[in-house]
Amino acid sequence: MPGKITFMDLFAGCGGLSEGFIQAGFAPLVHVEMDKAACYSLKTRMAFHHLSKTGKSKIYSDYLAGKISRDELYKSVPKDVVDSVINAEIGAETIEGIFSKIDGVIGKNRLDLIVGGPPCQAYSLVGRARDAGKMLDDKRNWLFRFYIEFLKKYKPKHFVFENVTGLLSAKDKNGIKYFDLMMKEFDDAGYIVPEPPIISADKHGVPQGRRRVIIVGTKKGLKPIKLSLTEQKSKAKIKQIFDDLPPLKAGDKSNNVVKAKKGCQALWDLGIKSDFPITLHKTRPHNKQDLEIYRLAVRKWNKTDKKDRRLNYNDIPAKLQTHKNKTAFTDRFKVVGGDLDASHTVVAHISKDGHYYIHYDIEQNRSISPREAARLQTFPDDYYFESADGKESLTCAFKQIGNAVPVYLAKQIAESIKKDMKKPGN
């Protein structure tokens, strides 16, 4: 891959971080992910990029339109394209086998960069608050050590480690911060790590509030990379991000593919809009009780002072209340406001129910679709979220989207890193 900066993505999820790096001109060599459905999403995306580069985009369009199967899509690209995605759980028992598979995939190619971030639930403030044991016994706390084993094995020039802000305060059973342990072990592995920034996605043009710690390490002897992102205002209101998509009613799953209107320029600027068929713009069904609560939530959002627009669970009529807990999580019904620059954070819980992501249009009276959630994460409309068995699954799509890094933010991180990697001494 002459002239391209190559990378490996660990704990890759469905590929939000990877997609941003690809859009910035980096070349992926391999992805490692434990979730089977997410691996199929990655394989499908790698097929998309290969077909786009080779002038065969119609094959991908046919796949999105349901004219060919997933197997037929994968057979239309070289075998090594889909084999570059390794479905495996990274752990003590598996790591040597994963190394062997990666060696077979990479071959003689140079690996410049490792990116990724272990699952964040064990570090998150919400996860620790909800868990009786404060997540102290969760094995995911120590996955960073396996990430470091990849650094020792492949010795890339640089790495990018992404995680939730709770990483900075989470402690082990001895009261030692995981972050401090991590910094020491990065140093022991031969990498310089400057103080990591906390980046808010909504301050960088993403239509969603999402805060992340981005750790960028550099091999000792090279010039450390200084992550520098230019703050930018929102490119559009949420209403503009959604409104070119056709309206839906709750439970509407009638179309495999939908057509959108022209849409605003921001959709193109964010890399969302494309000329391919649009999939997964469907909604889950809701019972009459939830739909009535959704109406209450949207009415309050539209009519109340902007300082108090959220529906409190205790304000819901008693006949509609089903939860006994009336002191915690009283904002469990939340509107994605059309007049906002950025929504609240899209998290994986959206796969459980849509109460935290109610569409602003009372006429549609529903929670948002996977495609709308994907737009808040700035995934391109041609990004398809797979299931393990090949059957369309809104639940699988929501889970992958909620766990992802916003693509547009990842692209800006990649562009900043690329600028420094191209400098003499790197």
Side-chain angles (χ1 to χ4, degrees), residues 52 55 119 157 212 230 234 248 256-257 260 271 335 375 392 422:
S52 296
K157 293 179 179 179
R212 286 295 185 268
T230 302
S234 172
L248 299 172
N256 287 326
V257 175
V335 176
R375 283 186 167 194
E392 185 179 78
K422 292 285 189 181

Side-chain angles (χ1 to χ4, degrees), residues 3 21 63 79 111 140 154 157 185 188 190 206 220 230 240 246 251 253 275 305 307 311 320 332 364 422:
F21 274 78
Y63 174 62
K79 188 172 182 292
L111 178 67
R140 291 172 295 186
Y154 293 101
K157 293 179 179 179
E185 294 184 30
D188 291 344
V206 176
K220 291 178 181 178
T230 302
Q240 294 172 289
K253 299 181 181 179
D275 295 322
D305 182 276
K307 292 181 180 178
L311 181 70
L320 297 177
R332 57 174 61 98
Q364 296 188 53
K422 292 285 189 181

Side-chain angles (χ1 to χ4, degrees), residues 70-128:
R70 187 163 75 184
D71 284 344
E72 289 173 308
L73 172 69
Y74 294 168
K75 287 177 182 176
S76 72
V77 301
K79 188 172 182 292
D80 60 0
V81 172
V82 291
D83 286 350
S84 68
V85 178
I86 297 172
N87 182 201
E89 181 177 358
I90 298 172
E93 300 79 19
T94 61
I95 194 164
E96 290 299 329
I98 294 171
F99 285 163
S100 179
K101 287 182 180 178
I102 290 172
D103 292 344
V105 171
I106 291 179
K108 295 181 180 180
N109 285 305
R110 180 193 72 254
L111 178 67
D112 298 312
L113 181 73
I114 290 180
V115 307
C120 61
Q121 292 87 343
Y123 301 131
S124 77
L125 298 175
V126 173
R128 280 183 273 156

Side-chain angles (χ1 to χ4, degrees), residues 6-18:
T6 60
F7 73 96
M8 175 197 304
D9 191 353
L10 303 177
F11 309 100
C14 65
L17 188 61
S18 177

Side-chain angles (χ1 to χ4, degrees), residues 380-400:
D381 280 345
D382 49 42
Y383 211 106
Y384 189 72
F385 303 93
E386 299 277 3
S387 67
D389 63 7
K391 297 178 181 177
E392 185 179 78
S393 168
L394 304 193
T395 300
C396 278
F398 276 130
K399 180 182 176 183
Q400 293 172 55

Side-chain angles (χ1 to χ4, degrees), residues 188-206:
D188 291 344
Y191 288 84
I192 301 167
V193 182
E195 189 69 25
I198 294 176
I199 295 177
S200 297
D202 57 318
K203 291 183 179 179
H204 299 284
V206 176

